[in-house]
Amino acid sequence: MHELSLAQSIVEIATSHARAEGSGRVTKVFLKIGALAHVDPGALTFAFDAVSAGTLAEGAEVIIERGAAKAFCVPCGLTIEVATHADVCPHCGVHQWMLTEGDEMRVTELEVE
Amino acid sequence: MQVEQDLLAKNDRIAAVNRARLDATHTLAVNLMSSPGSGKTTLLCRTLELLKGQTPLAVVEGDQQTSFDADRIRATGVPAHQVNTGAVCHLDASMLLGSFELQAPPEGGILFIENVGNLVCPAGFDLGEHKKVVVVSVTEGEDKPLKYPYMFAKADLVLVNKVDLLPHLDFDLERLMGYLAQIRPEATVLKVSARSGEGMESWLAWLGEARSAIA
Ligand SMILES: Nc1nc2c(ncn2[C@@H]2O[C@H](COP(=O)(O)OP(=O)(O)OP(=O)(O)O)[C@@H](O)[C@H]2O)c(=O)[nH]1
Ligand SMILES: [Mg+2]
Ligand SMILES: [Zn+2]
């Protein structure tokens, strides 16, 4: 359940922005979670509800946008889309790629009041 | 309001501090990860017995509770610091940074970090180490790379431990290697037995190469 640590980080980010704005509470948290990010969105939302209790982010709605995972295939020199760590390149059938996008876990936007 | 802040930004910042700290003392840091009971501590004890006297050494032990593993390490004569993570299921960069205050990284030597026994969560947290080593024992079955791809996708080295038990099992090493190649073809694979000592020379040679790469 490393989602607890990640949820703690969301609460820290959200509440520090809310405080800096002089807002009373955070109402919405927008996240971008890549297709190959090492986190379960359901567990993350659950963990957020638990660790945000008693903070400015308590009760905030979590909205998660999933992003595709992209990789650079070394033999082909092409950018490909991958859905799992075990995927091979659709062009050359080889697993020799480096992830370029899709493992991100970011707070993109906040709504406060 | 637009924010664009990474959830791991704080951890990654501290990991960069750790890496700078380790590089300043030319210390190779190796993060050992595996499921509970794969033999990380046993393997470490044997490794330390072989290296002590020639190489400056220290160990950071991560477990949710107890100092059993640090006690086992100290019995070899090598200094060990136990981090108890409590409810947390992995080490993070700040825990390693905190350990440096109590136990300095061994200058010009090797710092071994034994992560919490868990094939899932430790994969998500950069500690600032130079090498990630995943230990998988032959009693766990061949399918672990496919079941826990996040962990294996980051491995520099996979140590297949407890090979002394192979005669008693129907473990298929080729299958494990095939699955690993689907996830992480770049990883080196070495067969070892922390019990019999088989394969220890190759593991020590790998460590020697990793040390010269950072020196
Ligand atoms: N037969 C055999 N047993 C081993 C070997 N290595 C470790 N063991 C045994 O496996 C059990 C677990 O070993 P540990 O070294 O405590 O494993 P660990 O990965 O440190 O465990 P945690 O720290 O709890 O995650 C012990 O009973 C060891 O004696 C090996 O190479 N062969
Ligand atoms: Mg142990
Ligand atoms: Zn290709």
Side-chain angles (χ1 to χ4, degrees):
Chain A
M1 233 341 231
H2 61 293
E3 279 81 6
L4 271 178
S5 307
L6 297 172
Q8 188 61 47
S9 165
I10 300 175
V11 171
E12 281 170 25
I13 292 169
T15 55
S16 72
H17 280 276
R19 264 193 305 274
E21 295 278 308
S23 346
R25 84 189 183 93
V26 181
T27 50
K28 281 184 187 164
V29 179
F30 294 84
L31 303 176
K32 170 106 187 263
I33 306 279
L36 280 185
H38 186 203
V39 65
D40 178 72
L44 185 61
T45 309
F46 178 81
F48 175 84
D49 290 343
V51 298
S52 63
T55 75
L56 292 183
E58 178 169 357
E61 186 187 349
V62 177
I63 298 116
I64 298 180
E65 178 200 347
R66 300 306 307 258
K70 292 187 182 147
F72 179 77
C73 173
V74 179
C76 296
L78 291 172
T79 293
I80 58 172
E81 207 165 297
V82 291
T84 77
H85 286 102
D87 282 9
V88 294
C89 171
H91 309 295
C92 65
V94 167
H95 186 301
Q96 212 179 311
W97 46 259
M98 289 176 295
L99 202 65
T100 52
E101 189 184 322
D103 60 351
E104 66 277 359
M105 301 185 255
R106 257 196 336 263
V107 179
T108 52
E109 207 180 323
L110 295 169
E111 274 184 31
V112 295
E113 63 175 35
Chain B
M1 117 186 50
Q2 295 300 123
V3 177
E4 297 297 343
Q5 243 173 297
D6 198 286
L7 299 194
L8 287 171
K10 188 173 155 196
N11 185 74
D12 291 348
R13 243 183 348 259
I14 300 173
V17 171
N18 291 346
R19 199 166 277 123
R21 173 86 167 80
L22 292 159
D23 286 342
T25 50
H26 307 284
T27 308
L28 171 71
V30 178
N31 180 8
L32 286 147
M33 295 175 281
S34 82
S35 42
S38 302
K40 298 179 293 302
T41 310
T42 312
L43 192 70
L44 270 179
C45 289
R46 197 175 252 273
T47 307
L48 300 171
E49 292 290 358
L50 293 168
L51 288 176
K52 73 181 184 193
Q54 324 160 23
T55 307
L57 300 165
V59 178
V60 171
E61 281 290 338
D63 285 293
Q64 289 197 318
Q65 305 279 335
T66 83
S67 63
F68 292 165
D69 282 2
D71 296 342
R72 285 166 66 191
I73 298 293
R74 283 188 207 110
T76 68
V78 171
H81 174 68
Q82 181 79 50
V83 176
N84 281 136
T85 60
V88 179
C89 43
H90 56 267
L91 290 175
D92 66 27
S94 70
M95 297 175 194
L96 183 62
L97 182 65
S99 83
F100 291 164
E101 285 177 21
L102 298 151
Q103 174 182 284
E107 191 141 2
I110 308 177
L111 175 69
F112 291 101
I113 304 154
E114 179 179 336
N115 219 309
V116 179
N118 179 336
L119 266 182
V120 182
C121 310
F125 298 83
D126 184 16
L127 304 180
E129 74 280 58
H130 299 100
K131 296 287 180 190
K132 291 184 201 289
V133 175
V134 179
V135 182
V136 57
S137 58
V138 296
T139 48
E140 293 167 56
E142 304 88 352
D143 53 7
K144 295 297 165 290
L146 291 188
K147 286 185 176 167
Y148 301 96
Y150 290 93
M151 177 60 77
F152 287 90
K154 294 198 173 161
D156 297 298
L157 171 68
V158 174
L159 286 176
V160 181
N161 189 33
K162 308 196 189 182
V163 294
D164 58 288
L165 296 176
L166 282 174
H168 312 286
L169 305 167
D170 52 9
F171 181 85
D172 182 349
L173 186 66
E174 291 302 310
R175 238 176 95 203
L176 174 88
M177 307 269 272
Y179 291 150
L180 184 64
Q182 289 180 46
I183 302 294
R184 176 75 170 168
E186 301 89 342
T188 305
V189 181
L190 296 174
K191 292 187 286 176
V192 292
S193 166
R195 171 72 49 87
S196 73
E198 183 183 338
M200 292 302 286
E201 328 75 53
S202 322
W203 157 232
L204 294 190
W206 185 89
L207 285 170
E209 253 173 61
R211 267 181 89 196
S212 37
I214 65 140

